[in-house]
Coordinates of all heavy atoms in Angstrom, one line a residue:
M1 N 33.1 20.0 82.1 CA 33.2 19.1 80.9 C 32.6 17.8 81.3 O 32.8 17.2 82.4 CB 34.7 18.9 80.6 CG 34.8 18.1 79.3 SD 36.3 18.5 78.3 CE 37.6 17.8 79.2
G2 N 31.8 17.2 80.4 CA 31.1 15.9 80.6 C 32.0 14.7 80.4 O 33.1 14.8 80.0
R3 N 31.4 13.6 80.6 CA 32.1 12.3 80.4 C 32.3 12.1 78.9 O 31.5 12.3 78.1 CB 31.2 11.2 80.9 CG 31.8 9.8 80.8 CD 31.0 8.8 81.4 NE 31.5 7.5 81.1 CZ 30.9 6.4 80.9 NH1 29.6 6.4 81.1 NH2 31.4 5.3 80.6
T4 N 33.5 11.6 78.6 CA 33.8 11.3 77.2 C 33.7 9.8 76.9 O 33.8 9.0 77.8 CB 35.3 11.7 76.8 OG1 36.2 11.0 77.6 CG2 35.5 13.2 77.0
R5 N 33.4 9.5 75.6 CA 33.3 8.2 75.1 C 34.4 8.0 74.1 O 34.7 8.9 73.4 CB 31.9 7.9 74.5 CG 30.7 8.2 75.3 CD 30.6 7.3 76.5 NE 29.3 7.2 77.2 CZ 28.8 8.2 77.9 NH1 29.5 9.3 78.1 NH2 27.7 8.0 78.6
T6 N 34.8 6.7 74.0 CA 35.9 6.4 73.0 C 35.2 5.7 71.9 O 34.3 4.8 72.1 CB 37.0 5.5 73.7 OG1 37.5 6.3 74.7 CG2 38.0 5.2 72.7
Y7 N 35.7 6.0 70.6 CA 35.2 5.3 69.4 C 36.4 4.8 68.6 O 37.4 5.4 68.5 CB 34.4 6.3 68.6 CG 33.2 6.9 69.3 CD1 33.3 8.0 70.1 CD2 32.0 6.2 69.2 CE1 32.2 8.4 70.8 CE2 30.9 6.7 69.9 CZ 31.0 7.8 70.7 OH 29.9 8.2 71.4
R8 N 36.3 3.6 68.1 CA 37.4 2.9 67.4 C 37.1 2.7 65.9 O 36.0 2.4 65.5 CB 37.6 1.5 68.0 CG 38.7 0.7 67.4 CD 39.0 -0.6 68.2 NE 39.4 -0.3 69.5 CZ 40.6 0.0 70.0 NH1 41.6 0.0 69.1 NH2 40.8 0.2 71.2
C9 N 38.1 3.0 65.1 CA 38.0 2.9 63.7 C 37.8 1.4 63.3 O 38.6 0.6 63.7 CB 39.3 3.5 63.0 SG 39.3 3.2 61.2
L10 N 36.8 1.1 62.5 CA 36.6 -0.2 62.1 C 37.5 -0.6 60.9 O 37.5 -1.7 60.5 CB 35.1 -0.5 61.8 CG 34.2 -0.6 63.0 CD1 32.8 -0.8 62.5 CD2 34.7 -1.6 63.9
G11 N 38.1 0.4 60.3 CA 39.0 0.1 59.2 C 40.3 -0.4 59.6 O 40.7 -1.5 59.2
C12 N 41.0 0.3 60.5 CA 42.3 -0.2 61.0 C 42.3 -0.8 62.3 O 43.2 -1.5 62.7 CB 43.3 1.0 60.9 SG 42.9 2.3 62.1
L13 N 41.3 -0.6 63.1 CA 41.1 -1.1 64.5 C 42.1 -0.5 65.4 O 42.1 -0.9 66.6 CB 41.1 -2.6 64.5 CG 40.0 -3.3 63.8 CD1 40.1 -4.8 63.9 CD2 38.6 -2.8 64.3
D14 N 43.0 0.4 65.0 CA 44.0 1.0 65.9 C 43.6 2.3 66.4 O 43.8 2.6 67.6 CB 45.3 1.1 65.1 CG 45.9 -0.3 64.8 OD1 45.8 -1.2 65.6 OD2 46.6 -0.4 63.8
H15 N 43.1 3.2 65.6 CA 42.9 4.6 66.0 C 41.6 4.7 66.7 O 40.6 4.1 66.4 CB 42.9 5.5 64.8 CG 43.0 6.9 65.1 ND1 44.1 7.5 65.6 CD2 42.0 7.9 65.2 CE1 43.9 8.8 65.9 NE2 42.6 9.0 65.7
T16 N 41.7 5.5 67.8 CA 40.5 5.8 68.6 C 40.3 7.3 68.7 O 41.3 8.1 68.6 CB 40.5 5.2 70.0 OG1 41.7 5.7 70.7 CG2 40.6 3.7 70.0
L17 N 39.1 7.7 68.9 CA 38.7 9.1 69.1 C 37.9 9.2 70.3 O 37.1 8.3 70.7 CB 37.9 9.7 67.9 CG 38.4 9.6 66.5 CD1 37.4 10.0 65.5 CD2 39.6 10.6 66.4
D18 N 38.0 10.3 71.1 CA 37.2 10.6 72.2 C 36.3 11.7 71.9 O 36.7 12.7 71.3 CB 38.1 10.9 73.5 CG 38.9 9.7 73.9 OD1 38.4 8.6 73.9 OD2 40.0 10.0 74.4
R19 N 35.0 11.5 72.3 CA 34.0 12.6 72.1 C 33.2 12.7 73.4 O 33.0 11.7 74.1 CB 33.1 12.2 70.9 CG 33.8 12.1 69.6 CD 34.2 13.5 69.1 NE 34.8 13.5 67.8 CZ 36.1 13.5 67.5 NH1 37.0 13.4 68.4 NH2 36.5 13.6 66.2
E20 N 32.6 13.9 73.6 CA 31.7 14.1 74.7 C 30.3 13.8 74.5 O 29.4 14.4 75.1 CB 31.9 15.6 75.2 CG 33.3 15.8 75.8 CD 33.4 17.2 76.4 OE1 32.3 17.8 76.8 OE2 34.5 17.7 76.5
F21 N 30.0 12.9 73.6 CA 28.6 12.4 73.4 C 28.6 10.9 73.3 O 29.6 10.3 73.1 CB 28.0 13.1 72.2 CG 28.8 13.0 70.9 CD1 28.8 11.8 70.1 CD2 29.6 14.0 70.5 CE1 29.6 11.7 69.0 CE2 30.4 13.9 69.4 CZ 30.3 12.8 68.6
D22 N 27.4 10.3 73.5 CA 27.3 8.9 73.5 C 26.4 8.5 72.3 O 25.2 8.8 72.3 CB 26.7 8.4 74.8 CG 26.6 6.9 74.9 OD1 27.3 6.2 74.1 OD2 25.9 6.5 75.8
T23 N 27.0 7.8 71.4 CA 26.2 7.3 70.2 C 26.8 5.9 69.9 O 27.9 5.5 70.4 CB 26.3 8.2 69.0 OG1 25.4 7.8 68.0 CG2 27.7 8.4 68.5
S24 N 26.1 5.1 69.1 CA 26.6 3.8 68.7 C 27.8 3.8 67.8 O 28.7 3.0 67.9 CB 25.5 3.0 68.1 OG 25.1 3.5 66.8
H25 N 27.8 4.9 67.0 CA 29.0 5.0 66.0 C 29.0 6.4 65.4 O 28.0 7.1 65.6 CB 28.9 3.9 64.9 CG 27.7 4.1 64.0 ND1 26.5 3.6 64.4 CD2 27.6 4.8 62.9 CE1 25.6 4.0 63.4 NE2 26.3 4.7 62.5
L26 N 30.1 6.7 64.8 CA 30.2 7.9 64.0 C 31.0 7.6 62.8 O 31.8 6.7 62.8 CB 30.7 9.1 64.8 CG 32.0 8.9 65.6 CD1 33.2 9.5 64.9 CD2 31.8 9.5 67.0
S27 N 30.9 8.4 61.8 CA 31.7 8.2 60.6 C 32.5 9.5 60.3 O 32.0 10.6 60.2 CB 30.8 8.0 59.4 OG 30.1 6.8 59.5
V28 N 33.8 9.2 60.2 CA 34.8 10.3 60.0 C 36.0 9.7 59.2 O 36.2 8.5 59.2 CB 35.3 11.0 61.3 CG1 34.2 11.7 62.0 CG2 36.0 10.0 62.2
T29 N 36.8 10.6 58.7 CA 38.1 10.1 58.1 C 39.1 9.8 59.2 O 39.4 10.6 60.1 CB 38.6 11.2 57.2 OG1 37.7 11.5 56.1 CG2 39.9 10.7 56.5
C30 N 39.6 8.6 59.1 CA 40.6 8.1 60.1 C 41.9 8.7 59.8 O 42.4 8.6 58.7 CB 40.6 6.6 60.1 SG 41.8 5.9 61.3
P31 N 42.6 9.4 60.8 CA 43.9 9.9 60.5 C 45.0 8.8 60.4 O 46.0 9.1 59.9 CB 44.2 10.8 61.8 CG 43.2 10.4 62.8 CD 42.0 9.7 62.1
S32 N 44.7 7.6 60.9 CA 45.7 6.6 60.8 C 45.6 5.9 59.4 O 46.7 5.7 58.8 CB 45.5 5.5 61.9 OG 45.8 6.1 63.1
C33 N 44.5 5.4 59.0 CA 44.3 4.6 57.8 C 43.9 5.5 56.6 O 43.8 5.1 55.5 CB 43.5 3.4 57.9 SG 41.7 3.7 58.3
E34 N 43.5 6.8 56.9 CA 43.1 7.8 56.0 C 41.9 7.4 55.1 O 41.7 7.9 54.0 CB 44.3 8.1 55.0 CG 45.5 8.7 55.8 CD 46.6 9.1 54.9 OE1 46.7 8.8 53.7 OE2 47.5 9.8 55.4
S35 N 41.1 6.6 55.7 CA 39.8 6.2 54.9 C 38.6 6.8 55.7 O 38.7 6.9 57.0 CB 39.7 4.7 54.7 OG 39.6 4.0 55.9
F36 N 37.6 7.0 55.0 CA 36.3 7.5 55.7 C 35.7 6.2 56.2 O 35.2 5.4 55.5 CB 35.4 8.2 54.7 CG 34.2 8.8 55.3 CD1 34.3 10.0 56.0 CD2 33.0 8.2 55.2 CE1 33.2 10.6 56.6 CE2 31.8 8.8 55.8 CZ 32.0 10.0 56.5
E37 N 35.7 6.1 57.5 CA 35.3 4.9 58.2 C 34.3 5.1 59.3 O 34.2 6.2 59.8 CB 36.5 4.2 58.8 CG 37.4 3.5 57.9 CD 36.8 2.3 57.2 OE1 35.8 1.7 57.7 OE2 37.3 1.9 56.1
R38 N 33.6 4.0 59.7 CA 32.8 4.1 60.8 C 33.6 3.8 62.1 O 34.5 2.9 62.1 CB 31.7 2.9 60.7 CG 30.8 2.9 61.9 CD 29.7 1.9 61.7 NE 28.7 2.6 60.8 CZ 27.5 2.2 60.5 NH1 27.1 1.0 61.0 NH2 26.7 2.8 59.7
F39 N 33.5 4.7 63.0 CA 34.1 4.5 64.3 C 33.0 4.0 65.3 O 32.0 4.7 65.4 CB 34.6 5.8 64.8 CG 36.0 6.2 64.3 CD1 36.1 6.5 62.9 CD2 37.1 6.3 65.1 CE1 37.4 6.8 62.4 CE2 38.3 6.6 64.6 CZ 38.5 6.9 63.2
V40 N 33.2 2.9 65.9 CA 32.2 2.3 66.7 C 32.5 2.6 68.2 O 33.7 2.7 68.6 CB 32.1 0.7 66.4 CG1 33.4 0.0 66.9 CG2 30.9 0.1 67.1
N41 N 31.5 2.7 68.9 CA 31.6 2.9 70.4 C 32.5 1.9 71.0 O 32.3 0.7 70.7 CB 30.2 2.9 71.0 CG 30.1 3.2 72.4 OD1 30.7 2.5 73.2 ND2 29.4 4.3 72.7
E42 N 33.4 2.2 71.8 CA 34.4 1.3 72.3 C 33.7 0.2 73.2 O 34.2 -1.0 73.1 CB 35.5 2.0 73.2 CG 36.6 1.1 73.7 CD 37.5 0.6 72.6 OE1 37.5 1.1 71.4 OE2 38.3 -0.3 72.9
A43 N 32.7 0.5 73.9 CA 32.0 -0.5 74.7 C 31.4 -1.6 73.7 O 31.4 -2.8 74.0 CB 30.9 0.1 75.5
V44 N 30.8 -1.1 72.6 CA 30.3 -2.1 71.6 C 31.4 -2.9 71.0 O 31.3 -4.1 70.9 CB 29.6 -1.3 70.5 CG1 29.2 -2.2 69.3 CG2 28.3 -0.6 71.0
F45 N 32.6 -2.3 70.7 CA 33.7 -3.0 70.2 C 34.2 -4.1 71.2 O 34.6 -5.2 70.8 CB 34.8 -2.1 69.8 CG 36.0 -2.8 69.1 CD1 35.8 -3.3 67.8 CD2 37.1 -3.0 69.8 CE1 36.9 -4.0 67.2 CE2 38.2 -3.7 69.2 CZ 38.1 -4.2 67.9
Q46 N 34.2 -3.7 72.4 CA 34.7 -4.7 73.5 C 33.7 -5.9 73.5 O 34.2 -7.0 73.6 CB 34.8 -4.0 74.8 CG 36.0 -3.0 74.9 CD 37.3 -3.6 74.4 OE1 37.6 -4.7 74.8 NE2 38.0 -2.9 73.6
T47 N 32.4 -5.7 73.4 CA 31.5 -6.8 73.4 C 31.7 -7.7 72.2 O 31.8 -8.9 72.3 CB 30.0 -6.3 73.4 OG1 29.8 -5.5 74.6 CG2 29.0 -7.4 73.3
F48 N 31.9 -7.0 71.0 CA 32.2 -7.7 69.8 C 33.5 -8.6 69.9 O 33.5 -9.7 69.6 CB 32.4 -6.7 68.6 CG 33.0 -7.2 67.4 CD1 32.2 -8.0 66.5 CD2 34.3 -7.0 67.1 CE1 32.8 -8.5 65.3 CE2 34.9 -7.5 66.0 CZ 34.1 -8.2 65.1
R49 N 34.5 -8.0 70.5 CA 35.8 -8.7 70.6 C 35.7 -9.8 71.6 O 36.2 -10.9 71.4 CB 36.9 -7.7 71.1 CG 38.2 -8.4 71.3 CD 39.3 -7.4 71.7 NE 39.8 -6.9 70.4 CZ 40.7 -5.9 70.3 NH1 41.0 -5.2 71.3 NH2 41.2 -5.6 69.1
E50 N 34.9 -9.7 72.7 CA 34.7 -10.8 73.6 C 34.1 -12.0 72.9 O 34.4 -13.1 73.2 CB 33.9 -10.3 74.8 CG 34.6 -9.4 75.7 CD 33.7 -8.8 76.8 OE1 32.5 -9.3 77.0 OE2 34.1 -7.8 77.4
F51 N 33.1 -11.7 72.1 CA 32.4 -12.8 71.4 C 33.3 -13.4 70.3 O 33.1 -14.6 70.0 CB 31.1 -12.3 70.8 CG 30.0 -12.1 71.8 CD1 28.9 -11.2 71.5 CD2 29.9 -12.8 73.0 CE1 27.9 -11.0 72.4 CE2 28.9 -12.6 73.9 CZ 27.9 -11.7 73.6
E52 N 34.1 -12.6 69.7 CA 35.1 -13.2 68.8 C 36.0 -14.2 69.4 O 36.4 -15.2 68.9 CB 35.9 -12.1 68.1 CG 35.1 -11.3 67.1 CD 34.7 -12.0 65.8 OE1 35.6 -12.2 64.9 OE2 33.6 -12.6 65.7
E53 N 36.5 -13.8 70.6 CA 37.4 -14.6 71.4 C 36.7 -15.8 72.0 O 37.3 -16.9 72.2 CB 38.1 -13.8 72.5 CG 39.1 -12.7 71.9 CD 39.6 -11.8 72.9 OE1 39.3 -11.9 74.1 OE2 40.3 -10.9 72.5
S54 N 35.5 -15.7 72.5 CA 34.8 -16.7 73.1 C 33.3 -16.7 72.6 O 32.5 -16.1 73.3 CB 34.8 -16.6 74.6 OG 34.1 -17.6 75.3
P55 N 33.0 -17.3 71.5 CA 31.7 -17.1 70.9 C 30.6 -17.6 71.8 O 30.7 -18.6 72.5 CB 31.8 -18.0 69.6 CG 33.2 -18.1 69.3 CD 33.9 -18.1 70.6
P56 N 29.4 -17.0 71.7 CA 28.3 -17.4 72.6 C 27.8 -18.8 72.1 O 27.8 -19.0 70.9 CB 27.3 -16.3 72.4 CG 27.6 -15.7 71.1 CD 29.1 -15.8 70.9
E57 N 27.4 -19.6 73.0 CA 26.9 -20.9 72.7 C 25.5 -20.9 72.1 O 25.0 -21.9 71.5 CB 27.0 -21.9 73.9 CG 28.4 -22.1 74.3 CD 28.5 -23.0 75.5 OE1 27.5 -23.7 75.9 OE2 29.6 -23.1 76.1
E58 N 24.8 -19.8 72.3 CA 23.3 -19.7 72.0 C 23.1 -19.8 70.5 O 22.0 -20.3 70.1 CB 22.7 -18.4 72.5 CG 22.5 -18.3 74.0 CD 23.8 -17.9 74.7 OE1 24.9 -18.0 74.2 OE2 23.6 -17.5 75.9
F59 N 24.0 -19.4 69.6 CA 23.9 -19.6 68.2 C 25.2 -19.6 67.5 O 26.3 -19.3 68.1 CB 23.0 -18.5 67.6 CG 23.3 -17.1 67.9 CD1 24.2 -16.4 67.2 CD2 22.7 -16.4 69.0 CE1 24.6 -15.1 67.4 CE2 23.0 -15.1 69.2 CZ 23.9 -14.5 68.5
D60 N 25.2 -19.9 66.3 CA 26.5 -20.0 65.5 C 27.1 -18.7 65.1 O 26.9 -18.1 64.0 CB 26.2 -20.9 64.2 CG 27.4 -21.3 63.5 OD1 28.5 -21.0 63.9 OD2 27.2 -21.9 62.4
W61 N 27.9 -18.1 66.0 CA 28.5 -16.8 65.9 C 29.3 -16.7 64.6 O 29.3 -15.7 63.9 CB 29.3 -16.5 67.1 CG 29.9 -15.2 67.1 CD1 31.3 -14.9 66.9 CD2 29.3 -13.9 67.4 NE1 31.5 -13.6 67.0 CE2 30.3 -12.9 67.3 CE3 28.0 -13.5 67.7 CZ2 30.1 -11.6 67.5 CZ3 27.8 -12.1 67.9 CH2 28.8 -11.2 67.8
A62 N 30.1 -17.8 64.3 CA 31.0 -17.8 63.2 C 30.2 -17.7 61.9 O 30.8 -17.2 60.8 CB 31.8 -19.1 63.2
R63 N 29.0 -18.0 61.8 CA 28.2 -18.0 60.6 C 27.8 -16.5 60.2 O 27.5 -16.2 59.1 CB 26.9 -18.8 60.9 CG 26.1 -19.0 59.7 CD 25.1 -20.0 60.0 NE 23.9 -19.8 59.2 CZ 22.8 -20.4 59.4 NH1 22.6 -21.2 60.4 NH2 21.8 -20.2 58.5
L64 N 27.9 -15.6 61.2 CA 27.5 -14.2 60.9 C 28.6 -13.5 60.3 O 29.8 -13.7 60.5 CB 27.1 -13.6 62.3 CG 26.0 -14.2 63.1 CD1 25.8 -13.5 64.4 CD2 24.7 -14.3 62.3
D65 N 28.2 -12.4 59.5 CA 29.3 -11.6 59.0 C 29.6 -10.5 60.0 O 28.9 -10.4 61.0 CB 28.9 -11.0 57.6 CG 27.7 -10.0 57.6 OD1 27.5 -9.4 58.6 OD2 27.1 -9.9 56.6
R66 N 30.6 -9.7 59.7 CA 31.1 -8.7 60.7 C 30.0 -7.7 61.0 O 29.8 -7.3 62.2 CB 32.3 -8.1 60.1 CG 32.9 -7.1 61.1 CD 34.3 -6.6 60.6 NE 34.5 -5.2 60.9 CZ 35.5 -4.5 60.6 NH1 36.5 -5.1 60.0 NH2 35.6 -3.3 61.0
T67 N 29.3 -7.2 60.0 CA 28.2 -6.2 60.2 C 27.2 -6.8 61.2 O 26.7 -6.1 62.1 CB 27.6 -5.8 58.9 OG1 28.6 -5.2 58.1 CG2 26.5 -4.8 59.1
E68 N 26.7 -8.0 61.0 CA 25.7 -8.7 61.8 C 26.3 -8.8 63.2 O 25.5 -8.5 64.2 CB 25.3 -10.0 61.3 CG 24.6 -9.9 60.0 CD 24.5 -11.3 59.2 OE1 25.4 -12.1 59.4 OE2 23.5 -11.5 58.6
K69 N 27.5 -9.2 63.4 CA 28.1 -9.3 64.7 C 28.2 -8.0 65.4 O 27.9 -7.9 66.6 CB 29.5 -9.9 64.6 CG 29.6 -11.3 64.1 CD 31.0 -11.8 63.9 CE 31.1 -13.2 63.5 NZ 32.5 -13.6 63.3
L70 N 28.5 -6.9 64.7 CA 28.6 -5.6 65.3 C 27.2 -5.1 65.7 O 27.0 -4.5 66.7 CB 29.3 -4.6 64.4 CG 30.8 -4.8 64.3 CD1 31.3 -4.0 63.1 CD2 31.4 -4.3 65.6
L71 N 26.2 -5.4 64.9 CA 24.8 -5.0 65.2 C 24.4 -5.7 66.5 O 23.8 -5.1 67.4 CB 23.9 -5.4 64.0 CG 22.4 -5.2 64.3 CD1 22.1 -3.7 64.5 CD2 21.5 -5.8 63.2
I72 N 24.6 -7.0 66.6 CA 24.3 -7.7 67.8 C 25.0 -7.1 69.0 O 24.4 -6.9 70.1 CB 24.5 -9.2 67.7 CG1 23.5 -9.8 66.7 CG2 24.4 -9.9 69.0 CD1 23.8 -11.2 66.3
A73 N 26.3 -6.9 68.9 CA 27.1 -6.3 70.0 C 26.6 -5.0 70.4 O 26.5 -4.6 71.6 CB 28.6 -6.2 69.5
E74 N 26.2 -4.2 69.4 CA 25.6 -2.8 69.7 C 24.3 -3.0 70.5 O 24.1 -2.3 71.4 CB 25.4 -2.1 68.4 CG 25.0 -0.6 68.6 CD 23.5 -0.4 68.6 OE1 22.7 -1.2 68.0 OE2 23.1 0.6 69.3
R75 N 23.4 -3.8 70.0 CA 22.1 -4.0 70.7 C 22.3 -4.5 72.1 O 21.6 -4.1 73.1 CB 21.2 -4.9 69.9 CG 20.9 -4.3 68.6 CD 19.9 -3.2 68.6 NE 19.8 -2.5 67.4 CZ 19.1 -2.8 66.3 NH1 18.4 -3.9 66.3 NH2 19.0 -2.0 65.3
L76 N 23.2 -5.5 72.3 CA 23.5 -6.0 73.6 C 24.1 -5.0 74.6 O 23.8 -5.0 75.8 CB 24.4 -7.3 73.5 CG 23.8 -8.5 72.8 CD1 24.9 -9.5 72.7 CD2 22.6 -9.0 73.6
T77 N 24.9 -4.2 74.0 CA 25.7 -3.2 74.9 C 24.8 -2.0 75.2 O 24.9 -1.4 76.3 CB 26.9 -2.7 74.1 OG1 27.7 -3.9 73.8 CG2 27.8 -1.8 75.0
R78 N 24.0 -1.5 74.2 CA 23.4 -0.2 74.4 C 21.8 -0.3 74.6 O 21.2 0.7 74.7 CB 23.7 0.6 73.1 CG 25.2 0.9 73.0 CD 25.5 1.7 71.8 NE 24.7 2.9 71.7 CZ 24.9 4.0 72.3 NH1 25.9 4.1 73.2 NH2 24.2 5.1 72.2
T79 N 21.3 -1.5 74.7 CA 19.9 -1.7 75.0 C 19.7 -2.8 76.0 O 20.7 -3.3 76.6 CB 19.1 -2.1 73.7 OG1 19.4 -3.4 73.4 CG2 19.4 -1.2 72.5
T80 N 18.5 -3.1 76.3 CA 18.2 -4.2 77.2 C 18.1 -5.6 76.6 O 17.7 -6.5 77.2 CB 16.9 -3.9 78.0 OG1 15.8 -3.8 77.1 CG2 17.0 -2.6 78.8
K81 N 18.4 -5.7 75.3 CA 18.4 -6.9 74.6 C 19.4 -7.9 75.2 O 20.4 -7.6 75.8 CB 18.7 -6.8 73.1 CG 17.8 -5.8 72.4 CD 16.8 -6.6 71.6 CE 15.9 -5.6 70.8 NZ 14.5 -5.9 71.0
T82 N 19.0 -9.2 75.1 CA 19.9 -10.3 75.5 C 20.1 -11.2 74.2 O 19.4 -11.1 73.2 CB 19.3 -11.1 76.6 OG1 18.1 -11.8 76.1 CG2 19.0 -10.3 77.8
L83 N 21.0 -12.2 74.3 CA 21.3 -13.1 73.2 C 20.0 -13.9 72.8 O 19.8 -14.2 71.7 CB 22.4 -14.0 73.5 CG 23.8 -13.5 73.4 CD1 24.9 -14.4 73.9 CD2 24.1 -13.1 72.0
S84 N 19.2 -14.1 73.8 CA 17.9 -14.9 73.5 C 17.0 -14.1 72.6 O 16.0 -14.6 72.0 CB 17.2 -15.3 74.7 OG 16.8 -14.2 75.5
D85 N 17.2 -12.8 72.4 CA 16.4 -11.9 71.5 C 16.8 -12.1 70.1 O 16.1 -11.5 69.2 CB 16.5 -10.5 71.9 CG 15.8 -10.2 73.3 OD1 14.7 -10.7 73.5 OD2 16.5 -9.5 74.1
F86 N 17.8 -12.8 69.8 CA 18.3 -12.9 68.4 C 18.2 -14.4 67.9 O 18.4 -15.3 68.7 CB 19.8 -12.5 68.3 CG 20.0 -11.0 68.7 CD1 20.3 -10.7 70.0 CD2 19.9 -10.0 67.7 CE1 20.5 -9.3 70.3 CE2 20.0 -8.7 68.0 CZ 20.3 -8.4 69.4
D87 N 18.0 -14.5 66.6 CA 18.0 -15.8 65.9 C 18.8 -15.7 64.7 O 18.8 -14.7 64.0 CB 16.6 -16.3 65.5 CG 15.7 -16.5 66.7 OD1 16.1 -17.3 67.6 OD2 14.6 -15.9 66.8
V88 N 19.5 -16.8 64.3 CA 20.1 -16.9 63.0 C 19.2 -17.7 62.1 O 18.7 -18.7 62.4 CB 21.5 -17.6 63.1 CG1 22.1 -17.8 61.8 CG2 22.4 -16.8 64.1
V89 N 18.9 -17.1 61.0 CA 17.9 -17.7 60.1 C 18.6 -18.1 58.7 O 19.6 -17.5 58.3 CB 16.7 -16.8 59.8 CG1 15.9 -16.5 61.1 CG2 17.1 -15.4 59.2
D90 N 18.0 -19.1 58.1 CA 18.5 -19.5 56.8 C 17.7 -18.8 55.7 O 16.6 -18.4 55.9 CB 18.4 -21.0 56.6 CG 19.3 -21.8 57.5 OD1 20.5 -21.3 57.6 OD2 18.9 -22.8 58.1
G91 N 18.3 -18.8 54.5 CA 17.6 -18.2 53.4 C 18.5 -17.3 52.6 O 19.6 -17.0 53.0
P92 N 17.9 -16.7 51.5 CA 18.7 -15.8 50.7 C 19.2 -14.6 51.4 O 20.2 -14.0 51.1 CB 17.8 -15.5 49.5 CG 16.4 -15.8 49.9 CD 16.6 -16.9 51.0
D93 N 18.4 -14.1 52.4 CA 18.8 -12.9 53.1 C 19.1 -13.3 54.6 O 18.7 -12.7 55.5 CB 17.6 -11.9 53.1 CG 17.3 -11.4 51.7 OD1 18.3 -11.2 51.0 OD2 16.2 -11.2 51.4
A94 N 19.8 -14.4 54.7 CA 20.1 -14.9 56.0 C 20.8 -13.9 56.9 O 21.8 -13.2 56.4 CB 21.0 -16.2 55.9
T95 N 20.4 -13.7 58.1 CA 20.9 -12.7 58.9 C 20.5 -13.0 60.4 O 19.6 -13.8 60.6 CB 20.5 -11.2 58.5 OG1 21.2 -10.3 59.3 CG2 19.0 -11.0 58.7
A96 N 21.1 -12.3 61.3 CA 20.7 -12.4 62.7 C 19.5 -11.4 62.8 O 19.6 -10.2 62.4 CB 21.8 -12.0 63.6
V97 N 18.4 -11.8 63.3 CA 17.2 -11.0 63.4 C 16.8 -10.9 64.9 O 17.0 -11.8 65.7 CB 16.1 -11.5 62.5 CG1 16.4 -11.4 61.1 CG2 15.7 -12.9 62.9
E98 N 16.1 -9.9 65.2 CA 15.5 -9.7 66.5 C 14.1 -10.2 66.5 O 13.4 -10.2 65.5 CB 15.4 -8.2 66.9 CG 16.8 -7.6 66.9 CD 16.7 -6.1 67.2 OE1 16.1 -5.8 68.2 OE2 17.3 -5.4 66.4

């Protein structure tokens, strides 16, 4: 049996699932909150949580929405990207971009 990865429900943040594959996220019905939710890779969620508790000084973390924060956490955790690869931009479609 291979190494398992843990995935956390983004709906309730309580329920986790273990799977024998490595992906950024999966979507399933959560047995705890009973909603069809995205389960994010636990390593990505830990990066997200660390930044929530101690925001990076490189840019205005609080200005980003949750989806943008999770995208950045996913790229930092699962690729060779660093915080310097992201910018927060102004405008009607303001978002963190690479």
Side-chain angles (χ1 to χ4, degrees):
M1 184 150 72
R3 180 175 172 211
T4 61
R5 304 295 195 287
T6 301
Y7 299 87
R8 181 172 300 275
C9 175
L10 288 179
C12 65
L13 298 179
D14 291 325
H15 192 75
T16 60
L17 301 171
D18 292 325
R19 296 291 188 263
E20 289 188 24
F21 51 82
D22 184 16
T23 187
S24 64
H25 65 277
L26 51 103
S27 296
V28 296
T29 300
C30 177
S32 293
C33 66
E34 299 182 349
S35 62
F36 187 74
E37 285 294 337
R38 178 171 284 190
F39 278 66
V40 68
N41 185 297
E42 185 68 13
V44 172
F45 183 72
Q46 291 306 317
T47 300
F48 167 80
R49 180 174 270 170
E50 288 171 15
F51 285 154
E52 287 290 279
E53 293 172 2
S54 181
E57 295 180 13
E58 287 83 342
F59 53 85
D60 189 2
W61 182 256
R63 187 170 157 192
L64 304 175
D65 67 26
R66 183 172 144 177
T67 300
E68 293 167 328
K69 291 175 181 180
L70 285 164
L71 174 65
I72 290 171
E74 188 268 333
R75 297 286 166 80
L76 293 173
T77 304
R78 299 179 51 80
T79 71
T80 59
K81 301 260 185 228
T82 66
L83 282 173
S84 63
D85 293 315
F86 298 92
D87 293 309
V88 176
V89 296
D90 291 319
D93 296 323
T95 188
V97 295
E98 298 176 55

